[in-house]
Amino acid sequence: MKIQDLLRKEVMIMDLQATTKEAAIDEMITSLVTNGVVTDFDTFKEGIMNREAQTSTGLGEGIAMPHSKNAAVAKPTVLFAKSNKGVDYDALDGQPVNLFFMIAAPDGANDTHLAALAELSKYLLKPGFADQLRQVSTADQVLATFDAAEEETQEEAVREAQNSQPKAGQDFVVAVTACTTGIAHTYMAEEALKKQAEEMGVAIKVETNGASGVGNRLTAEDIAKAKGVIVAADKAVEMNRFDGKPLVQVPVAKGIKEPEQLIQTVLDGQAPAYAATGSVDASAESGEKLTLWGAFYKHLMSGVSQMLPFVIGGGIMIALAFLIDQLMGVPTDQLSQLGSYHEIAAQFKAIGAAAFGFMLPVLAGYIAYSIAEKPGLVSGFVAGAIASSGAAFGGVPFAEGGKATLELAGVSSGFLGALVGGFLAGGVILVLRKVLAGIPRALEGIRSILLLPLLGVFATGFLMLAVNIPMAAINTGLNNFLSSLSGSSAVLLGLLVGGMMAVDMGGPVNKAAYVFGTGTLAATVTSGGSVVMAAVMAAGMVPPLAVFVATLLFRNKFTEEERNSGLTNIVMGLSFITEGAIPFGAADPARAIPSFIAGSALTGALVGLANIKLMAPHGGIFVIALTSNPLLYIVFVLVGAIVSGILFGALRRPIKD
């Protein structure tokens, strides 16, 4: 989408007269109404002000992007306005705003407003672009400025495409990046590898396996031409295509931190040839032998990454059921029915419970799939379903009516049972493969289609009936502990998981805290949410926001590029993308990481002290209404961010040092 298609000259305001926030909004909406873009002033303004009530769209650096997807909008439009005086807009950096982009999207326009925001951000982050807009005096000059920037962007894209194909005699490497969530690390590793390759004079093409799908997919021709392959991934990627190619495989974090070493390993011919196994498993043997912990972490993350969409969708729907009942009111003598008292709330809860019910089977299934490929999937799903149902041997077989029966206990072993079940199922399939390795070649098809699934389900199912007994006891104890969390125990747990979220900002320690938090949701689904999950998310929002605070209060200690990055960290922090702070932590770990840990631990402890609960495992500011105390939750996040930001800024040396 071209932003120029939405920038209409007739609605632009080249000298905004208002000096206050609401007056500026009124002046811009009036222009939209006068020119037929908006059909109802009050309806559209209500949408704009509702968005402003969540958090100011004054992003800082003199820029604001008020926006609304609204029934009063006749055609999608971006209104550009320039104030020569400056407007007190309650911007996030407290400074006056002089550049405005009011985005008006029709109700049925899908995500036009989000696409416009993303497109505008791409331009406004270019060095000097905003200053060019401040100098324009006519609508034509505004469009010309965007046209020039687009042309420059296209030239950059051409240069990048050229750099991804080798010139005569130039070394060529291909790479794949992927992280468990597919949001931040995937693309940070891509940028690090591209930048390093350019410095080394090496052509590189990087495929990204992100949340939105596979980007810049490697072709068979690319792979054939490449001197070697770099796979920087924390989840399964397609590996068979690299059969016979020199390949180095590492966690995605190394793609960010050690791009030169990875590229040099390939160039020096030190990467061993990859041997395909018929699997798409990223954990297959490669250039880097995984340790026991490394293998455990990779398989666990494969299960968690597949489980998260079910937890997020189901958890938020259930949380909305509680919210609806709270808004509609529930009699005090019926509080036990909160979340299902009113019919509409009960429907939300039923849908959420259906999605949430897949959480444990999917977790176990994809752990087993990561270990043993497709035959492991069915055994893993069965293990997760048994963990969820609580089926277990409750005694010895006994005769009843002439038939032998088994009494089954019904206590779920929860997240822990599914986790153990996933590894158990994968291990069972690996053992069965060895046992059946000697069968005649003529029966090879039967082994994969019949024997492995059947024997895998049989063995895994009966083992889980036994495993569920101790795991259910552990899970019950954990549930009781979480239910009783209050006072000092909640504070200490919040302090611990909060600090862990900032230790490596997306690495194994961060993910361990996050996985523990999501695991507690299953135990608290009927009680309105998890204090641990609330502490984890709040603490995870702190480091990126702390970067913004530090770059704002200690401007002389950061370069212009770092200050611009600090601005983008607002969005990443509010969106619960802790990885936004990684470049600052990697550049100055001795000062940055302790500062981030201090603020995150403080925020986690405060959330625990106030016993704030949360059902949603992701979303940041966008699911703030689903916390048990939204206002206090925001305050605690800001307190942690300010503490971390001040510590980081105070400890950091000025640029000249």
Side-chain angles (χ1 to χ4, degrees), residues 21-87:
K21 180 174 183 174
E22 188 162 359
I25 288 172
D26 287 346
E27 190 173 341
M28 288 185 280
I29 296 177
T30 298
S31 177
L32 293 173
V33 172
T34 302
N35 290 281
V37 173
V38 169
T39 58
D40 186 276
F41 182 99
D42 293 331
T43 300
F44 186 70
K45 181 178 179 180
E46 182 182 1
I48 290 288
M49 298 309 288
N50 285 342
R51 173 60 186 84
E52 294 296 328
Q54 296 175 23
T55 183
S56 175
T57 56
L59 302 178
E61 302 292 335
I63 299 168
M65 291 187 194
H67 53 276
S68 176
K69 184 177 179 181
N70 200 288
V73 179
K75 50 188 173 183
T77 299
V78 175
L79 178 150
F80 170 78
K82 183 167 76 81
S83 170
N84 296 319
K85 306 170 186 176
V87 176

Side-chain angles (χ1 to χ4, degrees), residues 54-55 92 538-539 541-542 545-546 548-549 570 573-574 599-600 602-603 606-607 621 624 630-646:
Q54 296 175 23
T55 183
L92 296 175
M541 295 164 69
V542 167
L545 295 175
F548 167 69
V549 172
I570 298 174
L574 294 177
S600 293
L602 175 61
T603 293
L606 290 172
V607 169
I621 196 72
I624 197 70
L631 181 60
L632 205 55
Y633 195 73
I634 292 174
V635 169
F636 290 159
V637 171
L638 292 178
V639 167
I642 291 170
V643 168
S644 281
I646 291 175

Side-chain angles (χ1 to χ4, degrees), residues 155-156 158-164 167 170-173 190-206 259-260 263 267:
E155 290 174 357
E156 290 175 356
V158 170
R159 286 197 300 270
E160 184 174 312
Q162 290 172 343
N163 289 338
S164 70
K167 301 178 180 64
Q170 186 181 24
D171 289 322
F172 179 53
V173 176
E190 176 198 21
E191 285 302 313
L193 288 165
K194 284 181 177 179
K195 184 177 179 180
Q196 187 62 50
E198 185 176 357
E199 292 178 5
M200 298 170 69
V202 176
I204 190 169
K205 182 174 180 180
V206 184
E260 182 177 9
I263 295 171
L267 297 181

